[in-house]
Amino acid sequence: MTDDIWTPYFAFGANLNKNTFYNIRKMRPRRTERAVLEGYELKFTEPGIPWIEPGFASIEPMENSVVHGVLYEINSEDFRRLNLSESANYERLDVPVIGELSGEVL
């Protein structure tokens, strides 16, 4: 059964890596494009796994800053699986992202 509900997802950090997103996390986005998130900065505040991934990326509000990333459009099953693969310490934010092709997306 195909899921017809598609969700925009702004990726930064490890999810920018195509191998991680497609092969390890098994995501199959319908669309991808470069995007920016204004008013935030990239931080590495979450301790990682020594020798594998020393720190996990997060974002924090910061005036006049921007985070570059990828805007994926994924189905709800991929979104559910992605949430399970992410750290429990992450807080999901509904914020406007500016896609290179899409313009502002919430």
Side-chain angles (χ1 to χ4, degrees):
M1 181 176 161
T2 311
D3 189 337
D4 293 328
I5 299 171
W6 294 86
T7 302
Y9 169 71
F10 178 69
F12 57 90
N15 285 332
L16 293 177
N17 183 310
K18 193 172 185 177
N19 183 57
T20 298
F21 202 70
Y22 285 79
N23 299 326
I24 295 172
R25 298 215 166 118
K26 307 293 186 204
M27 298 291 117
R28 296 293 174 253
R30 176 168 69 175
R31 268 180 20 158
T32 65
E33 64 182 287
R34 291 184 291 215
V36 294
L37 172 61
E38 296 179 337
Y40 286 82
E41 69 177 344
L42 186 66
K43 295 280 198 163
F44 292 88
T45 57
E46 299 293 323
I49 304 162
W51 305 106
I52 296 171
E53 193 165 356
F56 295 113
S58 63
I59 56 171
E60 292 182 1
M62 176 60 72
E63 234 179 277
N64 301 317
S65 291
V66 64
V67 176
H68 293 264
V70 173
L71 183 59
Y72 293 110
E73 194 171 46
I74 58 177
N75 66 33
S76 57
E77 176 58 27
D78 281 351
F79 193 73
R80 184 194 66 76
R81 197 170 55 258
L82 181 64
N83 283 331
L84 292 173
S85 73
E86 292 290 347
S87 166
N89 294 329
Y90 283 132
E91 176 186 347
R92 295 263 173 235
L93 302 174
D94 289 324
V95 294
V97 174
I98 302 169
E100 182 177 61
L101 303 172
S102 301
E104 189 172 301
V105 176
L106 182 61

